[in-house]
Amino acid sequence: MGFRKQVDKILGWILVVIMAVMVINVLWQVFSRYITGNPSSFTDELARYLMIWVGVLGAAYVSGRNMHVAIDVLPMRAGKKTQLLLFRMVNVLIILFAFFALVVGGIRLVYISYILEQHSPALNVPLAFIYTVLPLSGLLIIYYKATDLIYKK
């Protein structure tokens, strides 16, 4: 489980950096709009893409820490054996969703935007780079849930 803690630590720091950049970006937008009277042209788009990254990577981080919202009425009333069965079923469903929706769907989205050479209007960043967060997050969720299945007895 030492590798998992390292992944948690790295992912946590990445999220902190993204949030810090987003705060600085929004502060710059407010400063440039109201103090200088000349609003920056890229800050809105950068904030949007940073929000996508922090939201999707944050979901993977929360999934790895098992801090996501859960309805636990049924498991709390069940016996230990049923709780373990429910735990495994939920984790398998999460793995399947992460694989098909985030990894497969994300790779298709990255591929299509790469082939079409789509770029963001203000930053001129390839949208394929922006969308890589989807398969990356999906792989992280699969890793977290697979290790949960392996080490939970």
Side-chain angles (χ1 to χ4, degrees):
M1 290 298 258
F3 181 71
R4 182 175 170 145
K5 288 186 188 235
Q6 289 294 335
V7 172
D8 279 344
K9 193 174 186 177
I10 291 169
L11 187 55
W13 275 106
I14 289 171
L15 289 168
V16 166
V17 168
I18 292 172
M19 282 297 294
V21 170
M22 193 162 51
V23 166
I24 292 168
N25 179 54
V26 170
L27 287 174
W28 175 253
Q29 171 66 16
V30 170
F31 176 79
S32 68
R33 176 173 297 199
Y34 293 108
I35 304 300
T36 66
N38 186 15
S40 182
S41 62
F42 70 91
T43 52
D44 179 51
E45 192 172 280
L46 181 60
R48 186 177 321 121
Y49 295 146
L50 290 174
M51 183 65 90
I52 291 169
W53 273 69
V54 81
V56 178
L57 282 178
Y61 181 75
V62 168
S63 176
R65 303 289 303 259
N66 288 316
M67 296 181 345
H68 45 73
V69 176
I71 300 171
D72 60 354
V73 174
L74 188 60
M76 295 301 271
R77 295 184 180 182
K80 290 287 182 192
K81 207 173 200 179
T82 307
Q83 284 181 356
L84 185 61
L85 179 66
L86 286 171
F87 174 80
R88 288 183 177 155
M89 284 181 10
V90 166
N91 281 338
V92 167
L93 288 173
I94 291 171
I95 288 171
L96 289 172
F97 174 80
F99 178 73
F100 288 110
L102 296 174
V103 176
V104 174
I107 287 173
R108 292 175 113 185
L109 182 61
V110 169
Y111 176 73
I112 289 169
S113 60
Y114 178 76
I115 292 299
L116 295 177
E117 296 180 6
Q118 294 177 332
H119 289 77
S120 65
L123 295 171
N124 201 27
V125 175
L127 289 180
F129 173 73
I130 304 298
Y131 298 145
T132 56
V133 72
L134 292 170
L136 176 65
S137 180
L139 290 172
L140 285 168
I141 291 172
I142 290 169
Y143 167 73
Y144 282 133
K145 294 304 161 187
T147 56
D148 282 348
L149 283 174
I150 292 168
Y151 292 112
K152 176 97 173 189
K153 300 292 181 203

